[in-house]
Amino acid sequence: MKVLAITNQKGGVGKTTTAVNLAASLGAEGKRVLLIDMDPQGNATTGSGIFKKEALPTVYQLLIGAATLQEVCLNTDFAFDVLPANRELAGAEVELVELEQREFRLKNALHANREQYDFVLIDCPPALNMLTVNALVAADSVLIPMQCEYYALEGLSDLVETLRKVRNHLNSRLEIEGLLRTMYNGQSTLTQQVSSELESHFGDKVYRTIVPRNVRLAEAPSYGKPVIAFDKNSKGAQAYSALAKEILERAAQ
């Protein structure tokens, strides 16, 4: 089982879009996939076709020890399972502070179910809080979606420092799985410059796959579907299918 935390401390860079569509694309490749929504906004939950109000129990109950992974887990129509989230998860932040092994709650819950899945994808909130720390401690590596903009580079250096601290104190095996360029506009000179800088700094950690700006990708969540189920011929769907294949290719090396 490979556990990937999809994270970036900057919001609006395509974390949830990547989490949902990569889960569906890996599922389409025949892999057993679990998507964990660790964001109280619950966007990965609704993007997977699950109504947040009906999705009880949630990751919140799992983290505080009130439910098992099997009790929380929901099947979707898109070849992957989901541990859903809703606003209730925001309360876990406060309650976790008082619990034993607070940083390891998600890791311990997953460890008992290691044989069940090939991939676990964790959609992290856009902040470094106890929920994100739980995701980073549970993960083998991180997938970082980012836009090729000036501020993105600044945010990336902060994120790399955060990962270094987590590696030193809580999870020595944590590494960067890859950087994914999202919402890519190939006609922009700045986009090309930032993209080149990423490649020169991070080398083969930068995925060959690039996710373009795509209307169908933006529309799919409002229908509660991954883009591969909404419009499989769209550029967005093709990009995430290519990313799934690239990840599987790397895993096989």
Side-chain angles (χ1 to χ4, degrees):
M1 182 172 81
K2 190 170 186 68
V3 184
L4 284 177
I6 299 172
T7 187
N8 192 324
Q9 285 158 243
K10 190 175 185 300
V13 295
K15 284 190 299 296
T16 300
T17 299
T18 297
V20 171
N21 290 297
L22 180 56
S25 298
L26 286 168
E29 294 290 328
K31 297 300 172 186
R32 298 168 304 161
V33 183
L34 174 66
L35 172 60
I36 302 177
D37 191 348
M38 286 291 276
D39 189 340
Q41 292 179 81
N43 291 337
T45 301
T46 51
S48 304
I50 295 163
F51 292 109
K52 285 183 284 193
K53 288 179 182 173
E54 293 175 12
L56 288 169
T58 67
V59 174
Y60 169 74
Q61 278 78 14
L62 180 74
L63 290 174
I64 64 169
T68 64
L69 190 140
Q70 284 81 6
E71 289 168 334
V72 175
C73 189
L74 295 174
N75 302 117
T76 70
D77 298 329
F78 313 111
F80 64 91
D81 295 342
V82 173
L83 296 188
N86 55 26
R87 289 178 193 277
E88 200 178 22
L89 186 56
E93 188 72 11
V94 179
E95 292 186 46
L96 281 170
V97 173
E98 297 174 358
L99 295 177
E100 278 183 36
Q101 288 204 305
R102 58 191 179 186
E103 298 95 346
F104 296 87
R105 308 291 290 192
L106 183 62
K107 180 184 178 179
N108 294 341
L110 286 176
H111 190 72
N113 298 271
R114 284 199 81 80
E115 305 303 313
Q116 216 172 329
Y117 296 100
D118 300 311
F119 284 91
V120 175
L121 307 179
I122 310 173
D123 184 30
C124 299
L128 181 62
N129 55 24
M130 192 53 70
L131 298 173
T132 305
V133 169
N134 259 270
L136 295 178
V137 170
D140 299 309
S141 50
V142 296
L143 189 162
I144 306 170
M146 59 180 298
Q147 283 179 268
C148 292
E149 296 175 347
Y150 173 72
Y151 288 125
L153 283 177
E154 230 175 41
L156 183 59
S157 60
D158 292 343
L159 179 57
V160 169
E161 178 59 21
T162 296
L163 296 178
R164 188 187 66 77
K165 286 177 181 171
V166 172
R167 192 163 47 239
N168 287 345
H169 299 289
L170 295 165
N171 180 2
S172 58
R173 74 184 187 286
L174 188 68
E175 58 179 51
I176 294 175
E177 180 75 17
L179 284 88
L180 177 67
R181 290 163 287 185
T182 59
M183 305 179 200
Y184 194 87
N185 175 10
Q187 294 172 323
S188 158
T189 307
L190 176 62
T191 296
Q192 291 169 11
Q193 286 172 347
V194 173
S195 182
S196 297
E197 242 180 277
L198 280 178
E199 287 173 338
S200 65
H201 276 90
F202 290 94
D204 59 6
K205 289 284 186 192
V206 181
Y207 290 112
R208 296 188 307 273
T209 304
I210 291 172
V211 180
R213 284 196 177 277
N214 181 245
V215 174
R216 304 305 264 171
L217 262 182
E219 288 174 342
S222 63
Y223 291 87
K225 292 180 178 182
V227 71
I228 197 172
F230 179 60
D231 183 354
K232 67 178 182 182
N233 297 316
S234 65
K235 286 182 178 175
Q238 288 168 0
Y240 279 108
S241 292
L243 177 64
K245 289 183 172 74
E246 186 175 350
I247 286 171
L248 292 173
E249 201 180 285
R250 287 187 181 197
Q253 287 172 359

